[in-house]
Amino acid sequence: MISIDNLNFKYKDKTIFENFNLKLEENKIIALMGPNGSGKTTLIKILLGLLPYDGTIKFDDKILNKNDIRKMVGVVFSNPNNQIINDTVYDEIAFTLENMKYKGIKVKVIEISKYLGIENILEKNPNELNINQKQLVNLACSLVHNPKILILDEALNFDPFQKEK
């Protein structure tokens, strides 16, 4: 599904990737592990088209533009506060669909919120939520458009279904 060939990327003078190659198959769960600063989040940002790079990245054997990539990929970053930009949970989840010009936004937002058990907080301000609820909202935002690929950055750092005490 994803093929990365000869990826090169530098932050200022520090080489993060040099002739990096990776093939990820469809219908697989992959864990990319490494120490802090090893390039895991950078790779996600490159895959999303957020950082310039040298090399070739293909999804389903096609080189895609940023808009096509964003339709195929859902991402939940490690810090949920960095992904929240709207005044209500509903607007936060709907934002992805609005930007992709989806039809039936209300139905999709309600459907994913029920699936994740957050339908009771749709009118709340995301900044009033606890960290686990925020992460569930971010997960809803990432899943609402039915992406082919779901990326969880630092996925083991939280348990969105754990009840806070």
Side-chain angles (χ1 to χ4, degrees):
M1 176 173 275
I2 299 175
S3 173
I4 300 171
D5 297 310
N6 298 315
L7 177 68
N8 295 291
F9 180 81
K10 289 183 179 185
Y11 270 131
K12 298 179 183 171
D13 292 333
K14 183 180 178 190
T15 299
I16 306 298
F17 297 109
E18 185 172 11
N19 296 321
F20 179 74
N21 298 291
L22 180 67
K23 294 204 184 315
L24 304 174
E25 297 177 23
E26 193 169 1
N27 297 319
K28 301 282 182 184
I29 296 174
I30 287 96
L32 186 60
M33 300 179 353
N36 286 345
S38 63
K40 300 177 302 291
T41 300
T42 299
L43 181 59
I44 292 169
K45 290 178 179 178
I46 289 170
L47 288 173
L48 292 174
L50 299 175
L51 294 174
Y53 62 90
D54 290 322
T56 304
I57 300 175
K58 295 180 182 178
F59 288 82
D60 289 336
D61 293 322
K62 295 178 202 146
I63 297 175
L64 304 176
N65 65 41
K66 291 178 189 177
N67 290 331
D68 290 335
I69 290 170
R70 291 185 184 138
K71 287 179 182 175
M72 294 179 64
V73 178
V75 177
V76 178
F77 285 103
S78 58
N79 185 343
N81 293 314
N82 292 344
Q83 280 183 264
I84 293 173
I85 59 172
N86 286 289
D87 293 332
T88 68
V89 170
Y90 178 92
D91 290 339
E92 191 68 34
I93 298 169
F95 181 79
T96 300
L97 299 172
E98 290 165 354
N99 282 301
M100 293 182 182
K101 299 182 179 18
Y102 273 74
K103 303 224 184 293
I105 291 174
K106 185 174 183 177
V107 171
K108 294 286 286 177
V109 170
I110 291 171
E111 180 181 280
I112 194 66
S113 65
K114 282 184 179 179
Y115 180 76
L116 293 173
I118 59 172
E119 69 272 17
N120 60 326
I121 62 170
L122 287 176
E123 296 307 317
K124 286 193 174 186
N125 183 312
N127 295 313
E128 297 170 0
L129 304 176
N130 66 47
I131 196 76
N132 290 330
Q133 289 171 317
K134 288 178 184 180
Q135 205 65 309
L136 278 173
V137 170
N138 288 342
L139 183 59
C141 295
S142 298
L143 292 174
V144 72
H145 67 287
N146 297 317
K148 285 186 161 192
I149 301 162
L150 179 63
I151 299 173
L152 305 172
D153 188 18
E154 301 288 341
L156 301 178
N157 278 353
F158 80 101
D159 178 358
F161 300 103
Q162 175 184 351
K163 301 286 185 209
E164 287 204 14
K165 297 174 182 159

